[in-house]
C-alpha cells in the first residue's frame, strides 16, 4: 500500500513549486548530501533496498529458534528502534519491548516463559548502550537461574565494530548499517530483526516500503512528501493522533523532534489522544498555525477535524514521514540526521543535580534556583514552573516510570494543556527525546520540563533503578544547562504520588 496524503490546508504553492524545480525529492533518493548543511547518517534513504538480504536471514533464524520453542521476543532497545518494531508488529504480544531500565517493567517481561524467550539486543550506532547492556545482563541472570544458556537465546543487532558486537560472547549476531540511527533506522536490521522474529512478514514490509519510495522519489507537485514537508517546515506545533493503536504517531513525533528540533528551532510535535484533545478541538487556541495530523495505517477514513491525514501501511508511512522530514529540514536549513553520539555526551553518570527542595505527601520535589523560596506544595511548584514560561513556551513531561503499570500518568497531558494553556508533550523516558527535541542540540526554544520519577519496589533489581534515576538526573542537568527550568517530582510511592500529582494539576 503506497502512502497517501489528504490535506485541507495545502502548503503555499510556490514552496512546492520551488521544491519541484530544485529536484529535491529525486536528490533525496540519490543521497545528495548538499541538500542539507551536513548529512551525518544518510543510510535511511537506501535502507529498504539494502535490507532485502535480511528477509532470508530473518526467516532462517526464526525457524532455527522455533525448533527449541523460542517464539517470544524480548527486545532490549535504544534509540527509538523499539517504537518502530512495535509499530511493525502491531503490538503483537509475542514482542515485548524494553527501551527502559524501569525495574518493574523489566520484571514483568521476565515473568513470561523464559524457555520460550529469545532476547534481542538492538542499538543503532551512536547510542549510549549502558541501558541495553544492563537489561541484557539482567535477562541473562534470569536465563541462568532457569538453567538456560544465555548465548543460545540471544540475538545481537549491532553495527560492525560496535560495543555490543564485542560483548556478544557466543550469541547470534546480525549486522545493521553504520550510517543510520534513531527513528531513521526503522527499516533496517535494528527494527526488522526483532519484528521479524516476533512474526512480522519482513518481505512484505520491505516491498511496501519500496512501493512507497517509487512515488516519493518523483519531482512532481503531487508527491505527498513535498506537501507534508512544506507544512512541517511552516508549523510551530504539529499535533499527531492516529486511527487505532499502532504507535505511528509516537514514532513520527520522535522523527520530527530529532530531525527538525535543533538550535532552538523546528516545530513542536505533540502526540495527542484524538478528536477530544484540546489541540484538535481548536488548534488556533493554543498556538496559531498548529498543524493537526491524523495517521491511519488502515488506509480507511480519518479522525474528525483532521487538517491533514496520512494513509498507508506502517512501512509506507515510515518512508513518507522520513522523506517529508528530510524535505522540511532542507527548507529549514538544518541537518535531519545530525546529532552528537549519545555515547559520547552521556558522561560517566556523575551528575550534579538539585537536591530535594521539599516533600509534599508522597512526592519529593527537586528544582533549581528558579523555584521561589517558600514553595511548599506540588501545585505551587507546578504554577511556578508555568510562570517561568513565556508566551511561546511549551511544557514537556518526561515520565521515568513503567509505561505499562503506570500508564495512567499519561492522562495528565490533556488536563495540563487545558489548565496551563501551553502546548504539552508527554513521553516515557528515556524512550522519548528529552525536551521534545534533541537534548544536546537544545530542541525547540522556550521549553519548561517536568520530570516524573519514582521509587522501585525493594525486591526489584537495584542496579536498574539506580541507572534509571541517573538517566533522569543527567537529562535534567543537560536541559538546565540549556537554560530550561526543570522540575523533578519523585514519587516515594508511585500510586499515592500519582494521586497527589493529579490533585495538584486540578488546582492549577
Amino acid at each position: 500500500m503506497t502512502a497517501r496524503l489528504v490535506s485541507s490546508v495545502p502548503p503555499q504553492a510556490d514552496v512546492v513549486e520551488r521544491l519541484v524545480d530544485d529536484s529535491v525529492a529525486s536528490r533525496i533518493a540519490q543521497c545528495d548530501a548538499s541538500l542539507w548543511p551536513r548529512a551525518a547518517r544518510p543510510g535511511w534513504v537506501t535502507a529498504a533496498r539494502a535490507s532485502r538480504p535480511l528477509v532470508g536471514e530473518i526467516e532462517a533464524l526464526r525457524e532455527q529458534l522455533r525448533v527449541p520453542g523460542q517464539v517470544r521476543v524480548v527486545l532490549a532497545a535504544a534509540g527509538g528502534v523499539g517504537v518502530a518494531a512495535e509499530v511493525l508488529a502491531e503490538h503483537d504480544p509475542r514482542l515485548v519491548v524494553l527501551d527502559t531500565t524501569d525495574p518493574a517493567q523489566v520484571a514483568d517481561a521476565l515473568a513470561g516463559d523464559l524457555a520460550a524467550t529469545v532476547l534481542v539486543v538492538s542499538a543503532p550506532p551512536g547510542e549510549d548502550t549502558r541501558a541495553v547492556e544492563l537489561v541484557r545482563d539482567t535477562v541473562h541472570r534470569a536465563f541462568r537461574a532457569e538453567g538456560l544458556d544465555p548465548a543460545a537465546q540471544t540475538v545481537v543487532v549491532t553495527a560492525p565494530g560496535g560495543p555490543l558486537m564485542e560483548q556478544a560472547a557466543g550469541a547470534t549476531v546480525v549486522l545493521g548499517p553504520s550510517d543510520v540511527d534513531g527513528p531513521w533506522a526503522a527499516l533496517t536490521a535494528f527494527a526488522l530483526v526483532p519484528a521479524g522474529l516476533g512474526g512480522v512478514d519482513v518481505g512484505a514490509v520491505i516491498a511496501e516500503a519500496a512501493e512507497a519510495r517509487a512515488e516519493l522519489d518523483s519531482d512532481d507537485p503531487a508527491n505527498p512528501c513535498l506537501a507534508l514537508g512544506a507544512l512541517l517546515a511552516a508549523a510551530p506545533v504539529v499535533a499527531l493522533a492516529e486511527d487505532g493503536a499502532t504507535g505511528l504517531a509516537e514514532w513520527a513525533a520522535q522523527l520530527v523532534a530529532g530531525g527538525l528540533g535543533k538550535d532552538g528551532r523546528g516545530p513542536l510535535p505533540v502526540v495527542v489522544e484524538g478528536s477530544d484533545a484540546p489541540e484538535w478541538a481548536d488548534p488556533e487556541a493554543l498556538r496559531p498555525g498548529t498543524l493537526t495530523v491524523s495517521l491511519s495505517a488502515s488506509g480507511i477514513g480519518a479522525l474528525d477535524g483532521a487538517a491533514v491525514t496520512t494513509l498507508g501501511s506502517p512501512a509506507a508511512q515510515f518512508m513518507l514521514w522520513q522523506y517529508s522530514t528530510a524535505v522540511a529540514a532542507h527548507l529549514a536549513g538544518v541537518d535531519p540526521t545530525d546529532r552528537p553520539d549519545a555515547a559520547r555526551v552521556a558522561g560517566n553518570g556523575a551528575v550534579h543535580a538539585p537536591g530535594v527542595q521539599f516533600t509534599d505527601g508522597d512526592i519529593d520535589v527537586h528544582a533549581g534556583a528558579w523555584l521561589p523560596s517558600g514553595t511548599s506544595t506540588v501545585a505551587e511548584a507546578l504554577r511556578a514552573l508555568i510562570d517561568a514560561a513565556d508566551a511561546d513556551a511549551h511544557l514537556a513531561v518526561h515520565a521515568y516510570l513503567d509505561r505499562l503499570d503506570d500508564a495512567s500518568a499519561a492522562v495528565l497531558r490533556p488536563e495540563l494543556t487545558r489548565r496551563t494553556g501551553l502546548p504539552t508533550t508527554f513521553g516515557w523516558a528515556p524512550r522519548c527525546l528529552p525536551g521534545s527535541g534533541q537534548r544536546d542540540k537544545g530542541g525547540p526554544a522556550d521549553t519548561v520540563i517536568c520530570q516524573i520519577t519514582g521509587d522501585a519496589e525493594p525486591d526489584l533489581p537495584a542496579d536498574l533503578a539506580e541507572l534509571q534515576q541517573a538517566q533522569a538526573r543527567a537529562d535534567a542537568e543537560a536541559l538546565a544547562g540549556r537554560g530550561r527550568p526543570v522540575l523533578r517530582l519523585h514519587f516515594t510511592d508511585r500510586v499515592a504520588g500519582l494521586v497527589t500529582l493529579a490533585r495538584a494539576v486540578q488546582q492549577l
Side-chain angles (χ1 to χ4, degrees):
M1 181 192 300
T2 58
R4 293 188 292 122
L5 181 73
V6 179
S7 175
S8 61
V9 285
Q12 293 180 333
D14 60 330
V15 176
V16 174
E17 183 178 350
R18 186 170 79 247
L19 292 169
V20 172
D21 291 344
D22 291 344
S23 304
V24 169
S26 61
R27 288 167 64 192
I28 291 175
Q30 296 162 10
C31 296
D32 184 350
S34 68
L35 286 166
W36 311 282
R38 175 173 176 262
R41 293 186 171 101
W44 65 271
V45 177
T46 57
R49 182 170 65 246
S51 294
R52 284 173 184 165
L54 283 172
V55 175
E57 185 175 1
I58 292 173
E59 288 179 352
L61 182 56
R62 184 167 58 198
E63 288 304 312
Q64 175 185 331
L65 293 168
R66 187 176 296 172
V67 172
Q70 295 169 11
V71 295
R72 175 178 179 261
V73 176
V74 170
L75 170 61
V81 294
V83 181
E86 281 183 339
V87 172
L88 292 173
E90 299 179 348
H91 294 268
D92 190 314
R94 289 176 293 179
L95 175 66
V96 179
V97 174
L98 293 177
D99 45 10
T100 178
T101 53
D102 186 84
Q105 193 170 333
V106 174
D108 285 344
L110 296 179
D113 184 354
L114 292 181
T117 297
V118 57
L119 171 67
V120 177
V121 183
S122 178
E127 296 298 333
D128 180 5
T129 60
R130 289 178 300 175
V132 293
E133 290 170 12
L134 184 53
V135 171
R136 175 203 62 200
D137 294 345
T138 303
V139 177
H140 281 184
R141 286 197 300 268
F143 281 155
R144 284 191 288 268
E146 294 290 322
L148 303 169
D149 178 10
Q153 298 191 234
T154 301
V155 176
V156 177
V157 188
T158 181
L164 294 179
M165 186 175 183
E166 297 172 1
Q167 304 166 17
T172 300
V173 175
V174 179
L175 293 179
S178 58
D179 55 356
V180 294
D181 69 356
W184 300 96
L187 292 168
T188 70
F190 298 106
L192 293 176
V193 168
L197 296 182
V200 172
D201 185 342
V202 174
V205 168
I206 292 175
E208 290 165 354
E211 183 181 3
R213 180 181 167 169
E215 179 182 2
L216 298 171
D217 286 353
S218 64
D219 296 311
D220 187 319
N223 184 337
C225 79
L226 301 181
L228 181 55
L231 290 169
L232 291 174
V237 177
V238 180
L240 301 160
E242 57 188 48
D243 287 341
T246 63
L248 268 171
E250 183 182 12
W251 176 86
Q254 288 191 354
L255 182 77
V256 172
L260 304 177
K262 302 173 185 179
D263 303 319
R265 292 182 290 169
L268 171 69
V270 182
V271 178
V272 304
E273 298 71 29
S275 57
D276 293 335
E279 295 87 348
W280 217 262
D282 188 1
E284 298 293 313
L286 284 176
R287 192 64 48 85
T290 294
L291 176 68
T292 56
V293 185
S294 169
L295 296 90
S296 175
S298 66
I300 301 173
L303 293 174
D304 292 339
V308 173
T309 301
T310 60
L311 305 169
S313 68
Q317 294 224 42
F318 284 168
M319 293 300 301
L320 170 61
W321 280 92
Q322 287 177 339
Y323 264 72
S324 300
T325 301
V327 169
H330 169 70
L331 291 171
V334 298
D335 308 315
T337 63
D338 179 27
R339 69 180 179 94
D341 283 353
R344 177 168 58 83
V345 301
N348 59 12
V351 177
H352 172 73
V356 178
Q357 302 293 314
F358 64 89
T359 298
D360 181 3
D362 297 283
I363 299 180
D364 290 337
V365 177
H366 303 248
W370 58 268
L371 186 70
S373 60
T375 304
S376 61
T377 69
V378 172
E380 291 173 355
L382 285 171
R383 278 195 292 268
L385 182 67
I386 302 309
D387 290 343
D390 64 25
D392 295 324
H394 81 276
L395 170 63
V397 180
H398 302 148
Y400 294 78
L401 300 172
D402 181 341
R403 65 186 174 94
L404 303 178
D405 288 350
D406 300 323
S408 57
V411 304
L412 296 174
R413 192 212 70 82
E415 192 65 17
L416 282 166
T417 302
R418 294 186 183 95
R419 291 181 178 271
T420 66
L422 298 177
T424 301
T425 64
F426 180 94
W428 299 103
R431 180 183 174 101
C432 69
L433 288 166
S436 300
Q438 289 195 14
R439 181 184 73 184
D440 301 286
K441 289 290 186 179
D446 304 317
T447 311
V448 295
I449 298 98
C450 178
Q451 288 185 335
I452 306 174
T453 60
D455 282 349
E457 296 294 327
D459 59 335
L460 296 176
D463 50 356
L464 290 171
E466 290 169 2
L467 181 56
Q468 185 180 42
Q469 299 306 311
Q471 289 172 320
R473 292 193 298 269
D475 288 337
E477 183 173 84
L479 290 163
R482 289 279 181 174
R484 313 294 198 249
V486 181
L487 173 67
R488 182 159 75 96
L489 305 176
H490 182 78
F491 297 166
T492 54
D493 180 291
R494 294 196 181 194
V495 175
L498 185 56
V499 171
T500 300
L501 176 56
R503 289 173 178 166
V505 170
Q506 292 171 357
Q507 297 172 32
L508 293 178

